[in-house]
Amino acid sequence: MGWMTTGWRRPDSYGFAVVVALIVHLLVAGLFLLQWPESKPRMAEPVPQHMIANVVQEENKAVKQRREKAEQQRQRKALAEKRRAQQQRQQQLAAKRKKEQQRREKLKQQQLAKQKAAAEKKRKAEAERLKQQQLAEQQAAEQKAQQQRQEQQRQEQQRLEQQMLRQLAQEQAAAELEAQRQAEIKAERAAATTLEHTALIRDRITSAWRYPPAVAAEMEVTVRLTLVPTGEVIQVQIINSSGHQGLDRSVEQAIHKASPLPVPNDIAVFEQNFRHLTMKFRPENASW
């Protein structure tokens, strides 16, 4: 049949074909039943060609209408899709233009901001330069004034130092004179004290000295005494012997017997002259 050869089908075309086929079969079955009682078999009459042609014509017309309707729907749908695509392109183009305009506006704002920032930076730099210049001038003036004050102070300090040096020199000279006078007095006193206590020590030792007989008057014994500030004798050393052992021993015995010896109370004189004392003894100075 004609609708079976077409490449495009819709579900409702199958229903119509089934209905037509069913009608044809019913007609054939009805004719067959009508002729069943006859003794002689009768050939079924074929369906008239004009009926089949009408059915086919009707079917082709319906198919054509459906195709036209489908084509119209397709065209409307394609037109709608085209319009939507155009609208989308127009919207995209408008969005692109808006975005480009926004970009240009933003770039313009950025350039204006940069120019404004550069101008502000230049203004601040100029203000800072003027400020630094004024500060430098002020510092230079202050430094100059300070140098003048320092120079005045230096001169005044130098004058005071010179005056102080002269005064110190005078005082030092007076102190040196006084120290020299005191040293001379102290030396005189130390010498007198030394002579006095040396004589006392000699008297104390000679009074305790008993030398042996058969010695010559010219025999001499030199001894070195080691004393402590209390006058105690802690060591006696024969420096030069008389050549007579008995005479030497008698001097040592006399010194230990006379200990403690009369030493001065002045510790400086003691340390200088009596810590280690060297003395000479001759028999002519001894008493029996």
Side-chain angles (χ1 to χ4, degrees):
M1 296 181 71
W3 66 83
M4 297 295 291
T5 61
T6 181
W8 178 85
R9 290 183 175 86
R10 291 176 61 88
D12 53 356
S13 65
Y14 289 99
F16 183 80
V18 171
V19 171
V20 172
L22 182 60
I23 292 172
V24 172
H25 283 82
L26 288 174
L27 290 174
V28 173
L31 291 174
F32 181 78
L33 290 175
L34 290 173
Q35 295 178 3
W36 179 265
E38 296 180 357
S39 57
K40 293 181 180 180
R42 299 175 62 182
M43 295 297 293
E45 296 181 359
V47 179
Q49 292 294 325
H50 69 275
M51 293 179 65
I52 296 175
N54 291 333
V55 170
V56 172
Q57 186 177 3
E58 291 295 330
E59 290 179 352
N60 290 334
K61 185 178 181 180
V63 170
K64 183 177 181 181
Q65 290 177 353
R66 286 194 297 273
R67 287 181 178 177
E68 291 176 351
K69 185 178 181 180
E71 182 63 21
Q72 292 176 358
Q73 291 179 353
R74 186 187 66 77
Q75 291 179 358
R76 287 195 298 270
K77 184 176 181 181
L79 183 60
E81 290 293 334
K82 185 176 181 181
R83 289 178 179 176
R84 282 197 298 271
Q86 289 178 353
Q87 290 178 356
Q88 289 179 356
R89 286 195 297 271
Q90 290 177 356
Q91 291 176 356
Q92 290 176 355
L93 182 59
K96 185 176 181 181
R97 289 176 180 174
K98 184 178 180 180
K99 186 175 181 180
E100 180 64 18
Q101 185 178 1
Q102 290 177 350
R103 187 186 68 81
R104 291 180 179 178
E105 186 65 24
K106 184 177 180 180
L107 181 61
K108 183 178 180 182
Q109 294 295 332
Q110 289 178 351
Q111 290 177 352
L112 290 175
K114 287 182 179 179
Q115 292 176 358
K116 185 177 179 181
E120 182 65 18
K121 184 177 180 181
K122 184 177 180 181
R123 185 189 65 79
K124 289 183 177 179
E126 183 63 19
E128 182 66 20
R129 187 187 67 80
L130 292 175
K131 181 180 178 181
Q132 293 296 331
Q133 183 178 357
Q134 292 176 357
L135 182 61
E137 291 176 354
Q138 182 179 358
Q139 289 179 349
E142 292 179 353
Q143 185 176 4
K144 185 176 180 180
Q146 184 177 3
Q147 289 177 353
Q148 291 177 353
R149 290 193 298 269
Q150 289 178 351
E151 180 63 22
Q152 292 176 357
Q153 292 176 357
R154 187 187 66 79
Q155 292 176 359
E156 181 65 19
Q157 182 69 23
Q158 186 176 4
R159 185 184 66 79
L160 293 175
E161 287 178 355
Q162 291 176 356
Q163 182 179 356
M164 184 178 295
L165 288 174
R166 288 194 297 269
Q167 184 177 356
L168 288 175
Q170 293 174 359
E171 293 178 354
Q172 185 175 1
E176 290 177 355
L177 290 174
E178 180 64 21
Q180 184 177 0
R181 188 177 67 83
Q182 293 294 332
E184 292 175 354
I185 294 173
K186 187 175 182 180
E188 292 176 357
R189 291 178 179 176
T193 302
T194 300
L195 292 174
E196 179 183 359
H197 285 77
T198 301
L200 292 174
I201 290 172
R202 182 176 295 278
D203 291 342
R204 176 74 64 85
I205 293 173
T206 54
S207 63
W209 184 22
R210 298 294 183 268
Y211 52 85
V215 293
E218 65 274 8
M219 291 181 178
E220 184 178 76
V221 181
T222 303
V223 295
R224 181 179 177 85
L225 288 69
T226 302
L227 307 175
V228 295
T230 58
E232 297 290 339
V233 179
I234 59 175
Q235 185 180 8
V236 178
Q237 182 180 4
I238 303 296
I239 301 300
N240 291 318
S241 175
S242 63
H244 192 290
Q245 293 183 358
L247 182 61
D248 294 342
R249 284 197 302 271
S250 67
V251 173
E252 291 180 4
Q253 292 174 356
I255 292 171
H256 285 295
K257 185 176 180 181
S259 179
L261 300 177
V263 295
N265 294 327
D266 190 339
I267 191 66
V269 176
F270 172 80
E271 292 293 339
Q272 184 177 1
N273 299 319
F274 292 92
R275 171 69 70 175
H276 301 286
L277 180 62
T278 301
M279 301 184 73
K280 296 179 179 181
F281 294 94
R282 289 183 178 182
E284 60 182 4
N285 296 328
S287 61
W288 293 93

